[in-house]
Amino acid sequence: NLVARPRPYEVVPGLQYLIEKQDTYSFPSGHSGSSFAAALTIFLNFPKTYGIPAMILAALIAFSELYVGVHYLSDVLGGIIIGAVITVLVYKTSEFIAQKELIL
């Protein structure tokens, strides 16, 4: 809501979208952000046999946001970056806390 960017189908004449109109703004893509946050969490905490498929699924979800016409590429990339940054910050913070508890 801070950016208040309209969705592509509201701006690009003739663009066909494959789902019903959304009542929220376009930037960032929440589905892309949350799917990459979940996939990166799996990637960082479980064997790569789970992490790699999770990352592939997240990429497919992000691509689907473009395909159905509800987000711009920058919306999807913004969501991915936000989701990944938050995930890494939480992961590093939890590692730091775990190390400090072992020392105490």
Side-chain angles (χ1 to χ4, degrees):
N1 290 338
L2 182 64
V3 177
R5 184 180 197 181
R7 293 196 177 264
Y9 58 76
E10 296 172 339
V11 178
V12 179
L15 179 68
Q16 291 185 329
Y17 52 94
L18 301 177
I19 62 173
E20 68 275 353
K21 290 189 176 187
Q22 307 294 301
D23 60 352
T24 57
Y25 293 114
S26 186
F27 185 85
S29 169
H31 287 104
S32 297
S34 60
S35 63
F36 266 89
L40 189 54
T41 299
I42 294 168
F43 189 83
L44 293 171
N45 291 292
F46 292 96
K48 302 308 176 223
T49 54
Y50 299 111
I52 292 171
M55 294 297 283
I56 292 169
L57 179 60
L60 291 172
I61 291 169
F63 173 75
S64 74
E65 296 287 294
L66 299 169
Y67 183 78
V68 298
V70 295
H71 285 291
Y72 296 100
L73 178 60
S74 57
D75 300 337
V76 171
L77 293 175
I80 291 169
I81 290 168
I82 291 169
V85 167
I86 291 171
T87 300
V88 170
L89 287 174
V90 170
Y91 180 76
K92 292 295 184 183
T93 301
S94 66
E95 278 188 333
F96 177 77
I97 291 170
Q99 288 175 353
K100 291 298 179 186
E101 287 181 1
L102 292 175
I103 293 172
L104 297 175

